[in-house]
Amino acid sequence: MIAILSNINTDYVLRLVAKETETLPAQGYGDIWGKMLDPNSDFHQKDPETIFLIVDIEELLKDCDSAQKASTEIDLWFDTLCTVLKPARNYFVSDVCFRFAQLSDNDSFAAEQIESYWIAKLSATMKKHGNVHVLKLNPLIRQCGKDAFFSEKLMYMGKVPYSNEGNRLIAEEILRVLTLLTRTPKKVLVLDLDNTLWGGVLGECGVDGIELSDDHMGAVYRDVQRRLLRFKQNGTLLAIASKNNLSDVEEVWETHPHMLLKKGDFVSVRINWEDKADNLQSMAAELNLGLDSFAFLDDMPAERDNIISRLPEVTVPGFPDRLEAYPAFIDQLYADYFQPLKLTQEDQKKTQQYEENAKRAQAAQNLTYEEFLKSLHLEAFRVELNDQRLDRVAQLIGKTNQFNLTTRRYSRSELEEMLQTHYELYAYQVKDKFGDYGLVAVAIVDLDIPEIDSFLMSCRVMGREIERYVLDDIEKDLLNKGYSCIKARFIRTKKNIPVVDLYEKLGYEVVSESEEEKTYQMDLTKKPTRELFVNL
């Protein structure tokens, strides 16, 4: 269940949202904090998991006649928010925009400063509290225009500052961000080249004849490439599947002055005359990712239909009919399939990490498995949790499927609540001679039993035997804390077959077994000595 609270009338937004998801009935408006603090309120009885706080800045600051008083009022608002936050909930706080009026002694520039101050306070709160997020209204206002988004008439009649169109856009944005809480973003965007990254057919036009420039319609493709570069910086992996001559494409990369995307921006490249479905399958194997992590973008309907029919797991969006709509289409593609709720440091290093994986694969040639592991000079160590690392832990728990013993999903706010009770969270970072894998392994232990509630690792370190070190470290830590036995569990899913017998291999005793799950235990005083392929 969600709740929408505001200092103005948002009942129309609530009615629109309630058509799609369970929503707390209207609570009136104005007294946001009273409803959140009153233990007898309907808000507390229903206990919604996600709260949307929509703030009208003019209504909030209506008694302020100076920027200084306005900043004080904003400080008080955020101080109060921090006192009512609960770890098990997610909070979305709107950005703000003056409708038409300004503070009585301030010009429009001062109003912009106040809007910026609100964003600064919200950003600081988000850094401090991982379960606070921004509900972005300003992009909707820019899209619609102030005159169409706001309604002064409705504001005077019923404290409704938004027009019907404004209310509709806000409701759609609320529903959109709700999907970000639960979905697993796609990882790889596979791109065609001709009429996709540039205009025209390279084999016919030549390097100088393709449409790619700073003006006219060639600027459309340059703007698309700018957006794709941002996607890469935000963690989307870019790849190419194109029917072309490799030497021609390399000439574009090396010589075309307006080609923003270079060969090094792509984690996998298939430039040949083979079937694109076969190319995508080989990419998935190369990157060790499932095809359901892929989206495929191609201007040719026949190529799209081929992927849809042969590889139904791959997401295949359409293609815009009008070239001038292409950049906006790319923005929407990212929002629909790739945008995470919150970026982590690991997201921003993804392309680099996959390039390092390619070097590791090359180093494995002509070596036995054990020789390869030893040659990597692996380092693994448990890390202390901070805000960024907890974001990463929540991200791993939300999307890891193959190496995941129970596939229990916990949000960041749920993790924070668990850490305040009888759960211990173990998080591990891994490095080798080629680079830093980042935070890639997580285990949650219920100390009341004790039992390993969750154990998962990123696919980027599967096959490195890091699980030996992780379990060994947890077992030693529990033994030092006075525990003599530990329990564990495997819950079968369609994707975690690679770890179906992991605990048996590492010395755990099977206690019970069914088709769906197995339970284990180990006497910590008799724990086995395992070969660890890491430098401690």
Side-chain angles (χ1 to χ4, degrees):
M1 174 180 283
I2 73 165
I4 300 173
L5 304 178
S6 180
N7 64 335
I8 37 84
N9 188 342
T10 54
D11 287 358
Y12 185 54
V13 172
L14 187 146
R15 287 197 295 271
L16 292 173
V17 173
K19 293 178 181 179
E20 304 294 334
T21 190
E22 186 181 8
T23 307
L24 186 72
Q27 300 293 295
Y29 55 87
D31 185 21
I32 293 176
W33 310 127
K35 295 182 175 56
M36 296 179 76
L37 291 167
D38 180 5
N40 298 314
S41 69
D42 193 35
F43 177 90
H44 272 274
Q45 300 303 318
K46 301 289 186 181
D47 195 24
E49 299 113 4
T50 305
I51 318 298
F52 290 88
L53 301 174
I54 300 176
V55 178
D56 182 85
I57 193 68
E58 288 181 38
E59 185 68 15
L60 180 68
L61 305 181
K62 63 184 178 182
D63 296 326
C64 299
D65 57 6
S66 70
Q68 183 176 2
K69 289 182 180 179
S71 62
T72 300
E73 187 69 27
I74 291 171
D75 288 343
L76 177 62
W77 195 93
F78 279 98
D79 288 345
T80 308
L81 171 65
C82 291
T83 65
V84 301
L85 294 177
K86 289 191 173 181
R89 288 182 177 141
N90 278 293
Y91 298 81
F92 288 84
V93 179
S94 70
D95 54 13
V96 294
C97 178
F98 280 89
R99 288 176 267 121
F100 300 103
Q102 314 297 340
L103 294 181
S104 59
D105 66 346
N106 287 278
D107 58 18
S108 60
F109 179 68
E112 291 173 5
Q113 288 180 311
I114 292 168
E115 292 167 4
S116 297
Y117 187 71
W118 178 275
I119 292 298
K121 292 291 293 187
L122 176 53
S123 297
T125 305
M126 289 167 60
K127 286 181 180 178
K128 186 176 180 180
H129 301 279
N131 58 336
V132 176
H133 317 279
V134 61
L135 177 66
K136 295 182 179 180
L137 302 189
N138 277 320
L140 309 180
I141 296 169
R142 289 193 296 271
Q143 169 189 337
C144 191
K146 269 191 179 184
D147 289 340
F149 191 86
F150 293 109
S151 172
E152 290 296 280
K153 180 180 179 180
L154 290 176
M155 184 65 186
Y156 283 118
M157 291 178 63
K159 289 288 186 182
V160 182
Y162 311 114
S163 66
N164 289 341
E165 179 67 4
N167 283 310
R168 183 186 66 80
L169 289 172
I170 294 171
E172 288 179 354
E173 180 65 10
I174 288 173
L175 292 170
R176 188 186 74 82
V177 299
L178 281 173
T179 65
L180 300 184
L181 284 171
T182 55
R183 79 172 185 194
T184 300
K186 302 293 179 184
K187 295 178 180 178
V188 186
L189 176 59
V190 183
L191 299 151
D192 181 36
L193 292 175
D194 293 333
N195 293 308
T196 304
L197 290 188
W198 54 68
V201 178
L202 179 61
E204 298 174 0
C205 304
V207 174
D208 296 330
I210 61 175
E211 286 187 281
L212 184 61
S213 61
D214 274 335
D215 50 24
H216 305 299
M217 299 316 286
V220 171
Y221 293 101
R222 189 167 170 87
D223 284 344
V224 164
Q225 290 197 27
R226 283 196 183 99
R227 284 162 167 78
L228 293 171
L229 272 174
R230 287 202 297 270
F231 298 174
K232 177 206 163 190
Q233 291 162 1
N234 289 344
T236 300
L237 301 174
L238 303 180
I240 290 176
S242 173
K243 292 180 178 177
N244 252 304
N245 292 322
L246 178 59
S247 59
D248 294 341
V249 177
E250 288 178 334
E251 186 179 356
V252 176
W253 279 328
E254 293 167 5
T255 67
H256 200 290
H258 300 294
M259 187 69 189
L260 300 180
L261 289 166
K262 305 300 184 182
K263 187 174 183 179
D265 292 314
F266 300 95
V267 296
S268 186
V269 173
R270 298 291 188 277
I271 298 173
N272 52 42
W273 299 97
E274 298 176 15
D275 184 87
K276 290 191 178 182
D278 293 337
N279 279 330
L280 262 65
Q281 288 178 307
S282 70
M283 278 184 190
E286 174 192 342
L287 299 173
N288 194 26
L289 292 172
L291 284 167
D292 57 354
S293 299
F294 284 65
F296 174 74
L297 183 63
D298 196 306
D299 68 298
M300 296 291 290
E303 296 289 4
R304 298 198 299 270
D305 288 346
N306 177 43
I307 299 300
I308 291 170
S309 61
R310 290 194 56 199
L311 305 177
E313 310 98 316
V314 176
T315 294
V316 183
F319 204 83
D321 295 327
R322 296 178 297 109
L323 184 58
E324 63 271 20
Y326 193 14
F329 169 85
I330 290 292
D331 286 337
Q332 192 61 48
L333 177 71
Y334 179 75
D336 289 344
Y337 300 111
F338 293 93
Q339 182 181 355
L341 183 61
K342 184 174 287 187
L343 282 174
T344 66
Q345 288 182 337
E346 277 78 8
D347 289 327
Q348 296 166 326
K349 297 177 181 176
K350 275 186 180 176
T351 297
Q352 175 188 338
Q353 289 166 341
Y354 277 88
E355 289 170 350
E356 291 166 356
N357 278 345
K359 295 176 183 176
R360 294 179 184 110
Q362 187 174 8
Q365 296 177 5
N366 303 318
L367 293 177
T368 67
Y369 177 56
E370 289 191 359
E371 288 172 341
F372 167 63
L373 288 179
K374 291 175 181 177
S375 75
L376 289 175
H377 304 298
L378 286 158
E379 297 178 27
F381 44 93
R382 196 194 319 171
V383 295
E384 296 292 327
L385 291 174
N386 55 27
D387 280 345
Q388 282 192 328
R389 285 174 178 156
L390 199 54
D391 285 338
R392 170 61 176 166
V393 168
Q395 184 186 60
L396 274 174
I397 288 173
K399 70 179 185 180
T400 303
N401 294 303
Q402 288 182 296
F403 195 113
N404 196 331
L405 276 297
T406 58
T407 320
R408 291 168 175 158
R409 308 297 192 190
Y410 298 115
S411 68
R412 177 191 163 126
S413 55
E414 288 172 324
L415 291 173
E416 288 178 327
E417 192 170 63
M418 291 169 74
L419 289 173
Q420 294 175 12
T421 57
H422 50 86
Y423 290 89
E424 183 85 23
L425 196 157
Y426 297 83
Y428 297 86
Q429 186 171 345
V430 177
K431 298 179 180 180
D432 67 17
K433 67 180 182 181
F434 293 108
D436 189 345
Y437 293 91
L439 196 163
V440 290
V442 172
I444 300 173
V445 177
D446 183 344
L447 295 176
D448 271 359
I449 301 176
E451 180 179 88
I452 301 174
D453 173 275
S454 300
F455 179 27
L456 53 119
M457 290 200 316
S458 168
C459 61
R460 72 179 70 149
V461 290
M462 285 181 68
R464 302 291 187 266
E465 301 293 341
I466 301 301
E467 59 271 23
R468 295 175 176 229
Y469 166 75
V470 170
L471 283 178
D472 203 67
D473 184 63
I474 293 170
E475 292 158 4
K476 288 177 179 177
D477 186 61
L478 292 175
L479 194 59
N480 290 336
K481 289 176 177 176
Y483 295 96
S484 59
C485 180
I486 185 173
K487 297 183 178 181
R489 190 179 302 267
F490 168 78
I491 300 175
R492 185 186 300 270
T493 69
K494 291 180 179 179
K495 294 188 176 183
N496 69 354
I497 303 305
V499 292
V500 64
D501 56 355
L502 175 87
Y503 283 121
E504 289 101 313
K505 289 180 178 178
L506 295 178
Y508 282 69
E509 175 190 353
V510 178
V511 176
S512 65
E513 183 173 356
S514 69
E515 188 174 336
E516 292 79 24
E517 68 178 84
K518 291 189 280 187
T519 60
Y520 304 87
Q521 68 180 14
M522 174 181 282
D523 184 342
L524 293 176
T525 64
K526 300 177 182 178
K527 66 183 297 300
T529 300
R530 309 181 183 103
E531 182 177 9
L532 306 179
F533 296 93
V534 299
N535 298 320
L536 303 179

